[in-house]
Amino acid sequence: MRILGVQKRKRLRKIIGKKRIKNPARRIATPTLPANCVKHIWMDRVQKIQMVFIEVPKGKWDIAYYNTAFEQVGFPRMLFGYRIQDGRIQQLHILAVKDKGRIREDTELYKFPYANVSNGVVCMGGNVLPVIKDLAQLATMHQVFFAAPSSTCYYNTSRNESGIGDLRELYNRMQGQDFPEEWLASKQQTFGQYCQGL
């Protein structure tokens, strides 16, 4: 209850109006979440900023490196994180995870092994991510990343343990191959620690 007004009468006080209000801290609901959603965080409820992490299983994807097409390039199991405000994806994160069990707060994270990702944050260059009307669309939004042409942006030999310094050579080698988990380079961070740093 919120007291709307108090009237003083000598030593006594009389409440002249009350209103029942909802406690906003009691109940916080998430929107309908997409398939493979691992975590949803309200970053700022007033400004409607939220972070959604989607698991993308280990697999092979057709990609473009500059003007060269590579077919069925092996990628590790990944977490795609979307920072969203008013239906716009403000930032995209990609992290690698080894292929074991459910992703939890203590799950170890690994660097995205290819290019265009710095400290987990994606550089999309001139490519624009679409506006979303429903969080359920995030279940397949990773396809936009794979369809966009990539470059050598942020690629170096510390991205993975393959020992291959040339990205074109690495993509060529990984065509039709599963990404070897022993090539993943640790971020020295758990999923919970990464979320705390957002």
Side-chain angles (χ1 to χ4, degrees):
M1 301 289 279
R2 175 184 286 166
I3 296 171
L4 300 176
V6 175
Q7 189 176 57
K8 286 187 178 180
R9 287 191 180 171
K10 293 186 183 177
R11 293 185 189 173
L12 301 174
R13 289 183 180 171
K14 179 181 177 186
I15 295 173
I16 56 172
K18 293 187 286 185
K19 179 182 177 184
R20 183 174 297 279
I21 61 165
K22 291 182 180 178
N23 183 350
R26 269 183 78 189
R27 180 182 164 126
I28 299 173
T30 67
T32 304
L33 298 174
N36 294 331
C37 182
V38 173
K39 191 172 188 79
H40 176 277
I41 306 168
W42 279 110
M43 304 297 283
D44 186 324
R45 290 189 69 212
V46 174
Q47 294 184 31
K48 298 180 182 172
I49 300 172
Q50 49 195 318
M51 191 80 192
V52 182
F53 285 93
I54 307 292
E55 178 185 351
V56 176
K58 185 175 188 171
K60 299 179 186 84
W61 296 90
D62 292 341
I63 62 162
Y65 174 64
Y66 290 107
N67 294 325
T68 306
F70 289 93
E71 294 181 357
Q72 297 298 291
V73 173
F75 282 81
R77 181 183 186 195
M78 294 171 286
L79 276 172
F80 276 65
Y82 302 91
R83 184 182 173 98
I84 299 161
Q85 182 174 21
D86 292 327
R88 297 199 177 276
I89 300 171
Q90 297 179 322
Q91 202 172 57
L92 172 59
H93 298 243
I94 304 179
L95 306 152
V97 182
K98 287 198 174 176
D99 200 16
K100 355 174 201 174
R102 188 171 65 87
I103 296 170
R104 302 180 317 189
E105 297 290 309
D106 62 351
T107 298
E108 185 177 1
L109 297 179
Y110 296 84
K111 296 175 184 176
F112 180 72
Y114 298 116
N116 301 99
V117 178
S118 174
N119 199 27
V121 180
V122 175
C123 170
M124 289 296 290
N127 301 295
V128 179
L129 293 166
V131 174
I132 61 166
K133 294 180 181 174
D134 189 326
L135 290 186
Q137 291 175 262
L138 297 178
T140 56
M141 194 61 63
H142 57 275
Q143 294 174 3
V144 175
F145 172 78
F146 290 120
S150 69
S151 66
T152 54
C153 185
Y154 301 120
Y155 183 74
N156 58 45
T157 54
S158 71
R159 307 280 325 147
N160 60 62
E161 305 289 340
S162 70
I164 301 171
D166 181 66
L167 187 56
R168 186 179 298 275
E169 180 186 340
L170 180 60
Y171 282 144
N172 200 36
R173 179 158 175 196
M174 292 311 302
Q175 285 188 109
Q177 304 294 318
D178 287 332
F179 190 88
E181 286 190 346
E182 60 272 15
W183 284 5
L184 290 174
S186 178
K187 276 189 64 58
Q188 306 294 314
Q189 204 174 28
T190 65
F191 180 46
Q193 290 167 338
Y194 189 84
C195 291
Q196 285 294 318
L198 293 172

